[in-house]
Amino acid sequence: MVQIGYVMLAEQAGPRQLVDHAMHAEDVGFDFSMTSDQASPRLRAQGHSPYAWSVLGAVAQATTEIPLMTFATCPTMRYHPAVVAQKAATLQILSEGRFRLGLGPGENLNEHIVGDWPSAADVRLEMLGEAAGIIRELFRGEHVSRRGGHFTVDSAKLWDLPDQPPPIGFAVSDERSCGLAGRLADFMIAVRPERSLTESFERAGGSGKPRVGQLVVCYDTDREAAVRRAHEQFRWFGMGGKAKAELVNPDSFEAATRFVRPEDVAEAIPCGDDPEAVVDAVRGFVSAGFTEVALVQIGGRAQHDFLTWAEEKLLSELHTLGGGAVAA
């Protein structure tokens, strides 16, 4: 059956609340969890952006079984890949083997804070591939020294290594990124239920590897309230990946989405309390070849109501969907 995950979206809740949400998600039966890793929210209405790795360390201690994952850490600008390797190895130990490292090429919104943003997408993918190679070398316990095309590493070594290194996944959005993920990653992650993505990943070497989707929903017993909240906090969601990657701060996102209407958002995001709407959306990912789907509930103060609803009305239906999930 398809594995159903829960997303701790750090842009819409504070660190203590995120830990509390993760504990509740484990209690109600979600199969895994994701954590966003950003320096800034996209819209001011979201209102938060705590440091994801501190949150993950706390979640690893507050939970006992639910697997953890980042989506998606950029190991090229804000974080040097050697630092990402150390953080991921430590978290794998703290969580007793429950962690997967989801990586991506990043967005200007988060990465510009430490320097010039590489605007060329092919350069960002080159950086991601090189960074993943450094991380894997360090996961093997080696002393790593190299001067590559983008990164310098001078005799780095991880002194605390888990029994098994965390699997590494890549966020994908097109054939080029799918090709890189198929060659270098243990799993892929995407936000669009498109079979072309899973097929490109498989052709490039990803056959038999997990394919993780992410679905945004907005639960509320008042559908109009759900639509308003989705529009307030997630009206950027329908933007193309290239445009979204280039915007620099919440003001940029506000300007870029000023003409998006609530009805436009409602067409793209399941809103309200109809379980079948979410089941249909997840079914779209399964039909496209995804083996896991993580749900993002919009609104930091709406998480516990959503999690209770998921336990009572949603998860049992979702778990009947065939996904053919495979382990990383």
Side-chain angles (χ1 to χ4, degrees):
M1 63 186 181
V2 65
Q3 300 290 293
I4 303 299
Y6 169 75
V7 178
M8 294 175 283
L9 194 72
E11 301 92 279
Q12 63 182 14
R16 294 180 66 88
Q17 289 72 39
L18 291 168
V19 176
D20 193 35
H21 299 162
M23 294 169 64
H24 194 172
E26 179 177 64
D27 289 342
V28 305
F30 278 88
D31 299 310
F32 67 99
S33 67
M34 281 183 177
T35 303
S36 59
D37 186 356
Q38 300 210 165
S40 170
R42 291 189 174 89
L43 295 172
R44 293 181 183 276
Q46 292 179 307
H48 295 274
S49 198
Y51 184 55
W53 292 85
S54 296
V55 172
L56 282 165
V59 170
Q61 296 303 290
T63 59
T64 59
E65 296 181 356
I66 192 167
L68 312 176
M69 184 171 77
T70 53
F71 179 61
T73 291
C74 177
T76 65
M77 297 284 293
R78 235 178 344 137
Y79 310 137
H80 189 281
V83 175
V84 173
Q86 184 184 32
K87 294 192 293 189
T90 298
L91 189 58
Q92 182 75 321
I93 294 169
L94 287 172
S95 66
E96 298 182 303
R98 290 185 280 142
F99 180 61
R100 291 184 291 177
L101 176 60
L103 301 177
E107 297 179 32
N108 200 6
L109 173 72
N110 306 303
E111 309 309 318
H112 82 277
I113 65 174
V114 297
D116 294 333
W117 169 247
S119 59
D122 57 344
V123 172
R124 297 199 295 270
L125 286 177
E126 284 177 9
M127 295 175 74
L128 176 59
E130 184 178 333
I134 293 168
I135 292 168
R136 286 201 189 276
E137 286 185 69
L138 288 166
F139 280 171
R140 292 195 290 267
E142 301 171 5
H143 276 93
V144 177
S145 292
R146 65 153 73 183
R147 187 176 296 275
H150 300 284
F151 303 104
T152 296
V153 185
D154 184 6
S155 190
K157 178 180 171 61
L158 299 183
W159 292 94
D160 288 276
L161 286 169
D163 294 336
Q164 294 293 327
I168 296 175
F170 283 8
V172 304
S173 59
D174 55 22
E175 186 171 359
R176 183 168 47 183
S177 56
C178 287
L180 186 71
R183 294 192 303 274
L184 300 181
D186 301 309
F187 62 99
M188 63 160 270
I189 317 162
V191 298
R192 302 195 311 272
E194 297 178 4
R195 180 164 287 279
S196 61
L197 297 176
T198 59
E199 290 178 345
S200 294
F201 175 67
E202 291 179 353
R203 284 196 302 270
S207 181
K209 298 177 182 179
R211 298 164 307 275
V212 185
Q214 187 185 75
L215 172 67
V216 177
V217 304
C218 194
Y219 164 77
D220 198 294
T221 54
D222 181 341
R223 187 175 185 277
E224 291 186 1
V227 172
R228 286 194 301 271
R229 187 167 67 245
H231 180 259
E232 179 185 46
Q233 297 193 25
F234 259 78
R235 61 182 178 273
W236 53 269
F237 188 67
M239 297 175 64
K242 179 174 174 51
K244 187 172 65 175
E246 296 300 332
L247 297 178
V248 71
N249 55 38
D251 290 340
S252 301
F253 277 87
E254 297 279 356
T257 59
R258 64 189 183 279
F259 296 123
V260 177
R261 304 169 302 171
E263 53 265 38
D264 300 326
V265 175
E267 289 181 4
I269 296 173
C271 294
D273 61 352
D274 178 10
E276 195 56 36
V278 179
V279 172
D280 285 345
V282 171
R283 187 178 288 116
F285 277 93
V286 174
S287 298
F290 287 81
T291 59
E292 307 176 34
V293 181
L295 306 182
V296 182
Q297 161 66 9
I298 298 173
R301 292 190 293 272
Q303 298 303 305
H304 288 301
D305 287 346
F306 164 74
L307 289 164
T308 299
W309 176 71
E311 180 181 27
E312 295 175 352
K313 299 290 181 70
L314 185 62
L315 285 176
S316 59
E317 291 194 48
L318 291 177
H319 280 142
T320 65
L321 301 175
V326 292

